[in-house]
Amino acid sequence: MIRAIVTDIEGTTTDIQFVHQVLFPYARERLAEFINAQQHRSEVRAAIDGVRQEIDQSEASLSQVTDALLEFMDEDLKSTSLKALQGMIWRYGYENGDFTGHLYADVLPAFKRWRAQNIPLYIYSSGSIAAQKLLFGYSNEGDLTPFLSGYFDTHVGHKRQTGSYIEIAKQIDLPAEQLLFLSDIHQELDAAKAAGWQTLQLIRGEADAQSQHPQVSDFSQI
Ligand SMILES: CSCCC(=O)C(=O)COP(=O)(O)O
Ligand SMILES: [Mg+2]
C-alpha cells in the first residue's frame, strides 16, 4: 500500500531540455553579475562561503568563487551552494515571465488523482527547495504548489545516497515500504530501494536496460 509519493523533477515531471537549455543557461549568464551585486545578502553570503568550503579555500576571492561555480555548472555538480544561487537567479526569470516551469501534460491529472485519493505528494530534487517552489508555482499549468505537501533538496543528502531516503522517510513519518519514489535515474531508485522504498522509473525518452525497477512512460500509467 502506498501512503505517500515523492517525485523527482528533471526527467520525471519536467523535460530535461527545459532544465538544461533554459534554466541552466539563464543562471550561468547572470551568475557573475548577481554575485557581485547581491554579495551582501545573507543567503548569498552563505552560499559564497559554502563554495569556499567546497573548494577548500576559505580566502577565495569573489572571482575565484565565480570561476569555481562555473566549473561546477560544467560538471553538473549537485553542489548545495550552486543550487541555492541558481534558485535565487531563476526567481527573476519566473517573476519577469522570461519562462514558466515546464511540466509534462500528464503531471497535473496525476496530481489531481492522488489528491482525490488522499495520497500526499512530495518533491525531492537536487534543485533547492526555493527553486522547486518556483518551478511548480510558476508552471505552464499554473500554480501547482497547493498539491504539494513538502519539499526535499540536498540538505537531506544526495539523491544517489540511501541515507537521503532514510532521512526523508523519517521526516514524512511513514514506514519506507509505504513510500513510492518516482525518478528517471535508476541509481536514484537503487538508493531509494535500498532504504526500503517502492520505486517506479519514468522512461520519458531512451530505454534504460541497466534498470531493475518497474517502468512507466508517463504519469497516466501510475
Ligand atoms: C528545481 S528545478 C532545477 C533542477 C536542478 O537544478 C537540477 O540540478 C536537477 O537535478 P535532479 O537531481 O533533480 O535531477
Ligand atoms: Mg531526474
Side-chain angles (χ1 to χ4, degrees), residues 25-138:
Y26 190 92
R28 188 184 186 92
E29 285 157 23
R30 289 159 182 79
L31 179 75
E33 191 189 331
F34 178 83
I35 287 184
N36 275 315
Q38 309 286 336
Q39 60 182 291
H40 300 299
R41 272 168 56 187
S42 61
E43 66 270 31
V44 177
R45 249 192 354 251
I48 291 170
D49 286 340
V51 176
R52 288 183 173 127
Q53 274 183 21
E54 284 181 67
I55 60 174
D56 212 12
Q57 289 183 44
S58 57
E59 304 297 321
S61 66
L62 271 194
S63 124
Q64 286 171 312
V65 167
T66 305
D67 287 346
L69 284 162
L70 292 171
E71 276 181 38
F72 291 177
M73 288 182 187
D74 288 340
E75 295 162 20
D76 195 17
L77 199 75
K78 307 300 185 185
S79 146
T80 303
S81 307
L82 167 64
K83 294 292 151 191
L85 289 164
Q86 284 177 321
M88 292 176 217
I89 298 170
W90 292 332
R91 176 171 297 283
Y92 294 102
Y94 286 112
E95 289 180 349
N96 278 337
D98 293 341
F99 46 77
T100 53
H102 175 266
L103 296 175
Y104 287 110
D106 48 276
V107 169
L108 178 56
F111 281 19
K112 288 181 176 167
R113 197 166 65 246
W114 296 332
R115 183 167 67 181
Q117 294 169 346
N118 283 320
I119 299 175
L121 176 63
Y122 298 84
I123 305 298
Y124 180 32
S125 168
S126 307
S128 68
I129 287 176
Q132 298 171 24
K133 289 179 177 171
L134 286 166
L135 192 146
F136 286 96
Y138 292 88

Side-chain angles (χ1 to χ4, degrees), residues 8-12 159 183-185 188:
D8 165 53
I9 297 178
E10 180 189 307
T12 301
K159 292 173 74 188
S183 175
D184 58 323
I185 304 292
E188 297 173 1

